[in-house]
Amino acid sequence: GAGVSQTPSNKVTEKGKYVELRCDPISGHTALYWYRQSLGQGPEFLIYFQGTGAADDSGLPNDRFFAVRPEGSVSTLKIQRTERGDSAVYLCASSRLGQHLTGELFFGEGSRLTVL
Amino acid sequence: AQSVTQLDSQVPVFEEAPVELRCNYSSSVSVYLFWYVQYPNQGLQLLLKYLSGSTLVKGINGFEAEFNKSQTSFHLRKPSVHISDTAEYFCAVIGGYQKVTFGIGTKLQVIP
């Protein structure tokens, strides 16, 4: 399809394990965002990429969280030593160059992470 | 810093009745404002946006919103709702930073 693709759609893991979540943005979109949505909350900003570089990672909660986008397309969000509080839906969004400045984002359906 | 406040977490309304979902924002700079909608089991999608110009903006599915700078509000309205409008609605703002800040969402429940 032509939309933002996120995998896996659901991930159940045990406390302390390592998790990777993948985002495949819309072709040609240079801006890529990761958000986290906890139950009953709105999406919370984590990190923003412009091309291959992280332009703003101020939303990453601690050093257990890391994200990469090595070729300026697919991005991976990595969570080390998962904790129960990491359970949430992780959303990825992308937009065209310039369009991101006006906040017009295209979202994937999210990856639901459950840490037992 | 920028933020948005959605005053109602849930809004029940009968089918064909009008609805208003409230949003207030806070920012020290000029802002762009948005409403996103999330239908059950789907991703967020843009409903409408205010960038500049006319303060009344129209979006998809008959929704509209009015930017009120003096009241720092951007309320969403629809004159007659359908069952298919049942969803969660998020107000969002982008100001001096290149990241979109979302409110906590309002669940609209349309009652037959």
Side-chain angles (χ1 to χ4, degrees):
Chain A
V4 176
S5 176
Q6 292 188 246
T7 54
S9 55
N10 273 288
K11 175 70 177 179
V12 180
T13 191
E14 294 180 344
K15 180 175 178 295
K17 299 290 188 182
Y18 170 80
V19 165
E20 288 191 354
L21 306 175
R22 174 188 167 108
C23 173
D24 202 338
I26 294 172
S27 178
H29 281 194
T30 59
L32 185 145
Y33 294 77
W34 283 100
Y35 282 80
R36 177 170 69 174
Q37 188 174 13
S38 301
L39 195 62
Q41 301 295 317
E44 172 193 9
F45 171 79
L46 295 178
I47 186 169
Y48 153 58
F49 287 90
Q50 186 59 258
T52 60
D56 184 349
D57 64 357
S58 62
L60 294 177
N62 52 59
D63 61 6
R64 295 187 298 105
F65 288 75
F66 190 70
V68 296
R69 196 185 184 199
E71 296 178 0
S73 179
V74 171
S75 177
T76 304
L77 179 65
K78 307 180 181 194
I79 310 173
Q80 297 178 323
R81 304 183 305 279
T82 52
E83 300 177 357
R84 292 192 180 89
D86 299 334
S87 296
V89 177
Y90 289 81
L91 302 172
C92 178
S94 69
S95 67
R96 295 187 192 93
L97 180 65
Q99 192 179 48
H100 71 285
L101 295 175
T102 58
E104 297 175 61
L105 307 180
F106 294 82
F107 281 86
E109 294 186 8
S111 292
R112 181 178 298 277
L113 174 65
T114 303
V115 182
L116 301 177
Chain B
Q2 58 198 35
S3 65
V4 289
T5 301
Q6 292 185 247
L7 300 170
D8 306 297
S9 59
Q10 293 190 54
V11 173
V13 62
F14 286 104
E15 194 174 16
E16 297 184 6
V19 70
E20 179 179 84
L21 306 184
R22 296 180 293 170
C23 172
N24 288 87
Y25 70 92
S26 173
S27 176
S28 57
V29 298
S30 296
V31 296
Y32 298 143
L33 291 157
F34 309 85
W35 278 96
Y36 278 81
V37 59
Q38 188 172 30
Y39 298 105
N41 301 315
Q42 294 187 28
L44 284 152
Q45 56 182 282
L46 184 65
L47 189 63
L48 51 77
K49 62 191 178 192
Y50 171 76
L51 304 181
S52 65
S54 174
T55 57
L56 183 65
V57 293
K58 295 187 183 298
I60 60 173
N61 300 335
F63 283 91
E64 63 181 32
E66 186 160 18
F67 171 62
N68 188 319
K69 188 174 181 180
S70 63
Q71 297 186 5
T72 61
S73 68
F74 190 56
H75 301 332
L76 181 70
R77 302 185 182 101
K78 186 170 183 178
S80 175
V81 296
H82 300 148
I83 292 289
S84 60
D85 293 324
T86 295
E88 190 158 19
Y89 293 79
F90 293 91
C91 184
V93 63
I94 187 167
Y97 306 93
Q98 295 178 27
K99 61 187 181 188
V100 180
T101 300
F102 288 86
I104 65 169
T106 298
K107 291 182 180 175
L108 175 63
Q109 182 184 6
V110 180
I111 304 164

Short mmCIF file of all heavy atoms in Angstrom, two decimals, chain A residues 33 35 37 40-45 48 50 55-56 58-59 91 100-110, chain B residues 32-34 36 38 41-46 49 51 88 90 94-95 97-105 107:
data_model
loop_
_atom_site.label_atom_id
_atom_site.label_comp_id
_atom_site.label_asym_id
_atom_site.label_seq_id
_atom_site.Cartn_x
_atom_site.Cartn_y
_atom_site.Cartn_z
N TYR A 33 8.42 10.88 12.20
CA TYR A 33 8.20 11.09 13.62
C TYR A 33 7.86 9.77 14.30
O TYR A 33 7.14 8.93 13.74
CB TYR A 33 7.01 12.02 13.85
CG TYR A 33 7.19 13.45 13.38
CD1 TYR A 33 7.09 13.79 12.04
CD2 TYR A 33 7.41 14.48 14.30
CE1 TYR A 33 7.22 15.10 11.61
CE2 TYR A 33 7.55 15.79 13.89
CZ TYR A 33 7.45 16.10 12.55
OH TYR A 33 7.58 17.40 12.14
N TYR A 35 5.83 8.70 17.88
CA TYR A 35 5.03 9.12 19.02
C TYR A 35 4.68 7.88 19.84
O TYR A 35 4.68 6.77 19.34
CB TYR A 35 3.71 9.78 18.56
CG TYR A 35 3.85 11.21 18.09
CD1 TYR A 35 4.30 11.49 16.80
CD2 TYR A 35 3.53 12.27 18.92
CE1 TYR A 35 4.42 12.81 16.37
CE2 TYR A 35 3.65 13.59 18.49
CZ TYR A 35 4.11 13.84 17.21
OH TYR A 35 4.24 15.14 16.79
N GLN A 37 1.56 6.52 22.46
CA GLN A 37 0.21 6.79 22.97
C GLN A 37 -0.14 5.78 24.04
O GLN A 37 -0.37 4.61 23.76
CB GLN A 37 -0.81 6.76 21.83
CG GLN A 37 -2.19 7.22 22.24
CD GLN A 37 -3.14 7.32 21.05
OE1 GLN A 37 -2.87 6.82 19.97
NE2 GLN A 37 -4.27 7.98 21.27
N GLY A 40 -5.64 6.19 27.29
CA GLY A 40 -6.33 7.38 27.79
C GLY A 40 -5.57 8.68 27.56
O GLY A 40 -5.99 9.73 28.06
N GLN A 41 -4.50 8.62 26.81
CA GLN A 41 -3.69 9.81 26.55
C GLN A 41 -3.60 10.10 25.07
O GLN A 41 -3.85 9.24 24.23
CB GLN A 41 -2.27 9.61 27.11
CG GLN A 41 -2.21 9.33 28.60
CD GLN A 41 -2.70 10.50 29.40
OE1 GLN A 41 -2.38 11.66 29.13
NE2 GLN A 41 -3.51 10.23 30.42
N GLY A 42 -3.21 11.33 24.75
CA GLY A 42 -2.94 11.66 23.36
C GLY A 42 -1.55 11.22 22.98
O GLY A 42 -0.74 10.85 23.83
N PRO A 43 -1.24 11.25 21.69
CA PRO A 43 0.12 10.90 21.25
C PRO A 43 1.15 11.83 21.88
O PRO A 43 0.98 13.04 21.90
CB PRO A 43 0.04 11.08 19.74
CG PRO A 43 -1.40 10.93 19.40
CD PRO A 43 -2.13 11.53 20.55
N GLU A 44 2.23 11.23 22.36
CA GLU A 44 3.31 11.95 23.02
C GLU A 44 4.55 11.87 22.14
O GLU A 44 5.00 10.78 21.78
CB GLU A 44 3.57 11.31 24.39
CG GLU A 44 4.77 11.83 25.14
CD GLU A 44 5.12 10.93 26.32
OE1 GLU A 44 4.53 9.84 26.44
OE2 GLU A 44 6.00 11.33 27.11
N PHE A 45 5.11 13.01 21.80
CA PHE A 45 6.26 13.08 20.90
C PHE A 45 7.48 12.37 21.50
O PHE A 45 7.80 12.54 22.67
CB PHE A 45 6.61 14.55 20.64
CG PHE A 45 7.91 14.75 19.91
CD1 PHE A 45 7.98 14.58 18.54
CD2 PHE A 45 9.05 15.12 20.59
CE1 PHE A 45 9.16 14.76 17.86
CE2 PHE A 45 10.25 15.31 19.92
CZ PHE A 45 10.31 15.13 18.55
N TYR A 48 12.08 13.01 16.14
CA TYR A 48 11.78 13.47 14.79
C TYR A 48 13.06 13.38 13.96
O TYR A 48 14.12 13.84 14.39
CB TYR A 48 11.24 14.90 14.88
CG TYR A 48 11.46 15.78 13.67
CD1 TYR A 48 10.96 15.42 12.42
CD2 TYR A 48 12.12 17.00 13.79
CE1 TYR A 48 11.15 16.23 11.33
CE2 TYR A 48 12.31 17.82 12.70
CZ TYR A 48 11.83 17.44 11.46
OH TYR A 48 12.01 18.25 10.38
N GLN A 50 14.81 14.21 10.16
CA GLN A 50 14.79 14.88 8.86
C GLN A 50 15.88 14.20 8.06
O GLN A 50 17.07 14.41 8.30
CB GLN A 50 15.04 16.38 9.01
CG GLN A 50 14.89 17.14 7.72
CD GLN A 50 13.50 17.00 7.13
OE1 GLN A 50 13.27 16.24 6.18
NE2 GLN A 50 12.56 17.72 7.67
N ALA A 55 16.60 15.19 14.16
CA ALA A 55 16.57 16.64 14.33
C ALA A 55 16.14 17.04 15.73
O ALA A 55 16.49 18.12 16.21
CB ALA A 55 15.66 17.26 13.29
N ASP A 56 15.38 16.18 16.38
CA ASP A 56 14.89 16.48 17.72
C ASP A 56 14.58 15.16 18.41
O ASP A 56 13.67 14.46 17.99
CB ASP A 56 13.64 17.36 17.63
CG ASP A 56 13.12 17.80 19.00
OD1 ASP A 56 13.57 17.27 20.03
OD2 ASP A 56 12.22 18.66 19.02
N SER A 58 14.20 15.09 21.84
CA SER A 58 13.94 15.56 23.20
C SER A 58 12.82 14.80 23.90
O SER A 58 12.68 14.87 25.12
CB SER A 58 13.59 17.05 23.18
OG SER A 58 12.42 17.27 22.43
N GLY A 59 12.02 14.05 23.14
CA GLY A 59 10.91 13.31 23.74
C GLY A 59 11.26 11.90 24.19
O GLY A 59 10.45 11.26 24.87
N LEU A 91 3.40 5.04 17.65
CA LEU A 91 2.93 5.54 16.36
C LEU A 91 4.07 6.14 15.57
O LEU A 91 4.93 6.82 16.12
CB LEU A 91 1.87 6.63 16.58
CG LEU A 91 0.64 6.25 17.37
CD1 LEU A 91 -0.20 7.50 17.67
CD2 LEU A 91 -0.19 5.24 16.61
N HIS A 100 6.02 19.14 6.86
CA HIS A 100 6.11 18.83 8.29
C HIS A 100 6.10 20.12 9.11
O HIS A 100 5.68 20.12 10.26
CB HIS A 100 7.37 18.03 8.59
CG HIS A 100 8.64 18.82 8.49
ND1 HIS A 100 9.19 19.18 7.27
CD2 HIS A 100 9.44 19.36 9.42
CE1 HIS A 100 10.28 19.86 7.48
NE2 HIS A 100 10.46 20.00 8.77
N LEU A 101 6.53 21.23 8.48
CA LEU A 101 6.54 22.50 9.20
C LEU A 101 5.13 22.99 9.48
O LEU A 101 4.91 23.82 10.35
CB LEU A 101 7.30 23.55 8.38
CG LEU A 101 8.79 23.26 8.19
CD1 LEU A 101 9.40 24.30 7.27
CD2 LEU A 101 9.51 23.23 9.52
N THR A 102 4.16 22.49 8.72
CA THR A 102 2.77 22.85 8.96
C THR A 102 2.01 21.71 9.62
O THR A 102 0.78 21.73 9.67
CB THR A 102 2.07 23.25 7.65
OG1 THR A 102 2.17 22.17 6.72
CG2 THR A 102 2.72 24.48 7.05
N GLY A 103 2.74 20.75 10.15
CA GLY A 103 2.12 19.74 10.99
C GLY A 103 1.25 18.73 10.30
O GLY A 103 0.49 18.02 10.95
N GLU A 104 1.33 18.64 8.97
CA GLU A 104 0.45 17.71 8.26
C GLU A 104 1.14 16.36 8.16
O GLU A 104 1.97 16.12 7.30
CB GLU A 104 0.14 18.28 6.88
CG GLU A 104 -0.62 19.59 6.96
CD GLU A 104 -0.84 20.23 5.61
OE1 GLU A 104 -1.50 19.60 4.77
OE2 GLU A 104 -0.33 21.34 5.39
N LEU A 105 0.80 15.50 9.07
CA LEU A 105 1.45 14.21 9.20
C LEU A 105 0.55 13.09 8.73
O LEU A 105 -0.67 13.15 8.88
CB LEU A 105 1.84 13.96 10.66
CG LEU A 105 2.66 15.06 11.35
CD1 LEU A 105 2.95 14.67 12.78
CD2 LEU A 105 3.93 15.34 10.59
N PHE A 106 1.19 12.05 8.19
CA PHE A 106 0.49 10.83 7.79
C PHE A 106 0.91 9.73 8.75
O PHE A 106 2.10 9.40 8.83
CB PHE A 106 0.82 10.47 6.35
CG PHE A 106 0.33 11.47 5.35
CD1 PHE A 106 1.05 12.63 5.08
CD2 PHE A 106 -0.87 11.28 4.67
CE1 PHE A 106 0.60 13.57 4.17
CE2 PHE A 106 -1.33 12.21 3.76
CZ PHE A 106 -0.60 13.36 3.50
N PHE A 107 -0.06 9.17 9.45
CA PHE A 107 0.24 8.19 10.50
C PHE A 107 0.04 6.76 10.04
O PHE A 107 -0.84 6.46 9.23
CB PHE A 107 -0.68 8.42 11.72
CG PHE A 107 -0.25 9.55 12.59
CD1 PHE A 107 -0.63 10.85 12.31
CD2 PHE A 107 0.55 9.32 13.70
CE1 PHE A 107 -0.23 11.90 13.12
CE2 PHE A 107 0.96 10.36 14.52
CZ PHE A 107 0.57 11.65 14.22
N GLY A 108 0.85 5.86 10.61
CA GLY A 108 0.60 4.44 10.50
C GLY A 108 -0.43 4.01 11.54
O GLY A 108 -0.90 4.83 12.34
N GLU A 109 -0.76 2.73 11.55
CA GLU A 109 -1.76 2.22 12.48
C GLU A 109 -1.18 1.91 13.85
O GLU A 109 -1.92 1.63 14.78
CB GLU A 109 -2.45 0.99 11.90
CG GLU A 109 -3.29 1.32 10.67
CD GLU A 109 -4.09 0.14 10.18
OE1 GLU A 109 -4.13 -0.90 10.86
OE2 GLU A 109 -4.69 0.27 9.10
N GLY A 110 0.13 1.98 13.96
CA GLY A 110 0.75 1.81 15.26
C GLY A 110 1.19 0.38 15.56
O GLY A 110 0.72 -0.58 14.95
N TYR B 32 0.12 26.95 14.23
CA TYR B 32 -0.77 26.27 13.30
C TYR B 32 -1.57 25.28 14.14
O TYR B 32 -1.03 24.64 15.05
CB TYR B 32 0.02 25.51 12.23
CG TYR B 32 0.89 26.35 11.34
CD1 TYR B 32 2.13 25.89 10.92
CD2 TYR B 32 0.48 27.61 10.91
CE1 TYR B 32 2.94 26.65 10.08
CE2 TYR B 32 1.28 28.38 10.09
CZ TYR B 32 2.50 27.89 9.68
OH TYR B 32 3.31 28.65 8.85
N LEU B 33 -2.84 25.11 13.83
CA LEU B 33 -3.73 24.26 14.63
C LEU B 33 -4.38 23.21 13.76
O LEU B 33 -4.67 23.44 12.58
CB LEU B 33 -4.79 25.12 15.32
CG LEU B 33 -4.25 26.03 16.41
CD1 LEU B 33 -5.18 27.20 16.64
CD2 LEU B 33 -4.07 25.24 17.70
N PHE B 34 -4.65 22.07 14.35
CA PHE B 34 -5.17 20.92 13.62
C PHE B 34 -6.19 20.15 14.46
O PHE B 34 -6.15 20.18 15.69
CB PHE B 34 -4.03 19.94 13.28
CG PHE B 34 -2.86 20.59 12.63
CD1 PHE B 34 -1.88 21.20 13.39
CD2 PHE B 34 -2.75 20.63 11.25
CE1 PHE B 34 -0.80 21.84 12.79
CE2 PHE B 34 -1.68 21.27 10.65
CZ PHE B 34 -0.71 21.87 11.42
N TYR B 36 -7.17 16.06 14.34
CA TYR B 36 -6.98 14.74 13.77
C TYR B 36 -8.10 13.84 14.30
O TYR B 36 -8.59 14.03 15.41
CB TYR B 36 -5.63 14.15 14.20
CG TYR B 36 -4.45 14.62 13.37
CD1 TYR B 36 -3.85 15.84 13.63
CD2 TYR B 36 -3.94 13.83 12.35
CE1 TYR B 36 -2.77 16.28 12.86
CE2 TYR B 36 -2.85 14.25 11.58
CZ TYR B 36 -2.28 15.48 11.85
OH TYR B 36 -1.21 15.90 11.10
N GLN B 38 -9.31 9.65 14.84
CA GLN B 38 -8.88 8.24 14.88
C GLN B 38 -10.12 7.37 14.96
O GLN B 38 -10.76 7.30 16.01
CB GLN B 38 -7.95 7.99 16.05
CG GLN B 38 -7.32 6.62 16.05
CD GLN B 38 -6.25 6.49 17.13
OE1 GLN B 38 -6.32 7.12 18.18
NE2 GLN B 38 -5.24 5.68 16.87
N ASN B 41 -9.68 1.13 15.34
CA ASN B 41 -8.73 0.23 14.67
C ASN B 41 -8.09 0.84 13.43
O ASN B 41 -7.68 0.12 12.50
CB ASN B 41 -9.42 -1.09 14.29
CG ASN B 41 -9.97 -1.80 15.51
OD1 ASN B 41 -9.30 -1.90 16.52
ND2 ASN B 41 -11.20 -2.25 15.42
N GLN B 42 -8.01 2.18 13.40
CA GLN B 42 -7.34 2.85 12.29
C GLN B 42 -6.31 3.84 12.82
O GLN B 42 -6.31 4.19 14.00
CB GLN B 42 -8.35 3.57 11.41
CG GLN B 42 -9.31 2.65 10.68
CD GLN B 42 -10.17 3.41 9.70
OE1 GLN B 42 -9.78 4.46 9.17
NE2 GLN B 42 -11.36 2.88 9.44
N GLY B 43 -5.42 4.29 11.94
CA GLY B 43 -4.45 5.30 12.32
C GLY B 43 -5.05 6.69 12.35
O GLY B 43 -6.14 6.92 11.83
N LEU B 44 -4.35 7.62 12.95
CA LEU B 44 -4.77 9.02 12.98
C LEU B 44 -4.78 9.60 11.58
O LEU B 44 -3.88 9.34 10.79
CB LEU B 44 -3.80 9.84 13.83
CG LEU B 44 -3.90 9.70 15.33
CD1 LEU B 44 -2.57 9.95 15.98
CD2 LEU B 44 -4.93 10.68 15.86
N GLN B 45 -5.80 10.40 11.27
CA GLN B 45 -5.80 11.09 9.99
C GLN B 45 -6.22 12.55 10.17
O GLN B 45 -7.02 12.86 11.06
CB GLN B 45 -6.70 10.39 8.98
CG GLN B 45 -8.13 10.20 9.39
CD GLN B 45 -8.92 9.44 8.33
OE1 GLN B 45 -9.31 10.01 7.32
NE2 GLN B 45 -9.11 8.16 8.55
N LEU B 46 -5.68 13.39 9.33
CA LEU B 46 -5.94 14.82 9.43
C LEU B 46 -7.38 15.12 9.03
O LEU B 46 -7.85 14.71 7.97
CB LEU B 46 -4.98 15.59 8.53
CG LEU B 46 -5.06 17.10 8.57
CD1 LEU B 46 -4.65 17.63 9.94
CD2 LEU B 46 -4.16 17.70 7.49
N LYS B 49 -7.24 21.83 9.20
CA LYS B 49 -6.08 22.57 9.67
C LYS B 49 -6.32 24.07 9.54
O LYS B 49 -7.03 24.52 8.65
CB LYS B 49 -4.84 22.19 8.85
CG LYS B 49 -4.99 22.54 7.37
CD LYS B 49 -3.88 21.93 6.53
CE LYS B 49 -4.11 22.28 5.05
NZ LYS B 49 -3.24 21.51 4.15
N LEU B 51 -3.85 27.29 9.14
CA LEU B 51 -2.49 27.78 8.94
C LEU B 51 -2.45 29.30 8.98
O LEU B 51 -1.59 29.90 9.63
CB LEU B 51 -1.92 27.26 7.62
CG LEU B 51 -1.93 25.73 7.44
CD1 LEU B 51 -1.32 25.34 6.09
CD2 LEU B 51 -1.20 25.04 8.57
N GLU B 88 -12.37 8.98 17.99
CA GLU B 88 -11.67 9.85 18.93
C GLU B 88 -11.04 10.99 18.15
O GLU B 88 -10.43 10.77 17.10
CB GLU B 88 -10.62 9.08 19.72
CG GLU B 88 -10.04 9.87 20.87
CD GLU B 88 -9.42 9.01 21.95
OE1 GLU B 88 -9.09 7.83 21.68
OE2 GLU B 88 -9.23 9.53 23.08
N PHE B 90 -8.57 14.42 18.14
CA PHE B 90 -7.42 15.01 18.80
C PHE B 90 -7.15 16.40 18.24
O PHE B 90 -7.00 16.57 17.02
CB PHE B 90 -6.17 14.16 18.60
CG PHE B 90 -6.23 12.82 19.27
CD1 PHE B 90 -6.71 11.71 18.59
CD2 PHE B 90 -5.80 12.67 20.59
CE1 PHE B 90 -6.77 10.47 19.20
CE2 PHE B 90 -5.85 11.42 21.20
CZ PHE B 90 -6.34 10.33 20.51
N ILE B 94 1.24 23.14 16.31
CA ILE B 94 2.66 23.24 16.03
C ILE B 94 3.00 24.71 16.10
O ILE B 94 2.32 25.55 15.51
CB ILE B 94 3.05 22.59 14.68
CG1 ILE B 94 4.57 22.58 14.51
CG2 ILE B 94 2.40 23.30 13.51
CD1 ILE B 94 5.04 21.70 13.37
N GLY B 95 4.03 25.05 16.90
CA GLY B 95 4.40 26.44 17.09
C GLY B 95 5.81 26.69 16.63
O GLY B 95 6.17 26.49 15.48
N TYR B 97 8.44 25.06 17.29
CA TYR B 97 9.25 23.85 17.19
C TYR B 97 8.68 22.97 16.08
O TYR B 97 7.53 23.05 15.74
CB TYR B 97 9.22 23.07 18.52
CG TYR B 97 9.62 23.92 19.70
CD1 TYR B 97 8.65 24.58 20.44
CD2 TYR B 97 10.94 24.10 20.04
CE1 TYR B 97 8.99 25.37 21.51
CE2 TYR B 97 11.30 24.88 21.11
CZ TYR B 97 10.32 25.52 21.85
OH TYR B 97 10.68 26.30 22.91
N GLN B 98 9.48 22.12 15.53
CA GLN B 98 9.02 21.31 14.42
C GLN B 98 8.38 20.02 14.88
O GLN B 98 8.57 18.98 14.26
CB GLN B 98 10.19 21.04 13.47
CG GLN B 98 10.71 22.32 12.83
CD GLN B 98 11.88 22.06 11.92
OE1 GLN B 98 12.04 20.98 11.37
NE2 GLN B 98 12.74 23.05 11.78
N LYS B 99 7.66 20.07 15.97
CA LYS B 99 6.97 18.86 16.41
C LYS B 99 5.53 19.22 16.74
O LYS B 99 5.24 20.30 17.25
CB LYS B 99 7.67 18.25 17.62
CG LYS B 99 7.74 19.14 18.84
CD LYS B 99 8.60 18.49 19.92
CE LYS B 99 8.65 19.36 21.16
NZ LYS B 99 9.61 18.85 22.15
N VAL B 100 4.65 18.31 16.44
CA VAL B 100 3.23 18.50 16.67
C VAL B 100 2.91 18.02 18.08
O VAL B 100 3.29 16.91 18.47
CB VAL B 100 2.40 17.72 15.64
CG1 VAL B 100 0.92 17.93 15.89
CG2 VAL B 100 2.77 18.15 14.23
N THR B 101 2.23 18.86 18.85
CA THR B 101 1.81 18.52 20.20
C THR B 101 0.32 18.25 20.20
O THR B 101 -0.46 19.08 19.73
CB THR B 101 2.15 19.66 21.18
OG1 THR B 101 3.55 19.89 21.16
CG2 THR B 101 1.72 19.31 22.59
N PHE B 102 -0.07 17.09 20.75
CA PHE B 102 -1.47 16.66 20.73
C PHE B 102 -2.12 16.84 22.10
O PHE B 102 -1.46 16.75 23.14
CB PHE B 102 -1.56 15.18 20.35
CG PHE B 102 -1.26 14.90 18.90
CD1 PHE B 102 0.04 14.71 18.48
CD2 PHE B 102 -2.28 14.84 17.97
CE1 PHE B 102 0.33 14.45 17.15
CE2 PHE B 102 -2.00 14.59 16.63
CZ PHE B 102 -0.69 14.39 16.22
N GLY B 103 -3.43 17.03 22.09
CA GLY B 103 -4.23 16.95 23.31
C GLY B 103 -4.50 15.50 23.66
O GLY B 103 -4.09 14.59 22.95
N ILE B 104 -5.24 15.29 24.76
CA ILE B 104 -5.47 13.93 25.23
C ILE B 104 -6.61 13.25 24.49
O ILE B 104 -6.83 12.05 24.66
CB ILE B 104 -5.74 13.88 26.75
CG1 ILE B 104 -7.05 14.60 27.09
CG2 ILE B 104 -4.58 14.45 27.52
CD1 ILE B 104 -7.50 14.35 28.52
N GLY B 105 -7.34 13.99 23.66
CA GLY B 105 -8.38 13.38 22.85
C GLY B 105 -9.77 13.50 23.46
O GLY B 105 -9.92 13.57 24.69
N LYS B 107 -13.49 11.51 22.97
CA LYS B 107 -14.21 10.41 22.33
C LYS B 107 -15.63 10.86 22.04
O LYS B 107 -16.38 11.20 22.96
CB LYS B 107 -14.22 9.18 23.24
CG LYS B 107 -12.84 8.55 23.38
CD LYS B 107 -12.88 7.31 24.26
CE LYS B 107 -11.49 6.70 24.37
NZ LYS B 107 -11.42 5.57 25.29
#
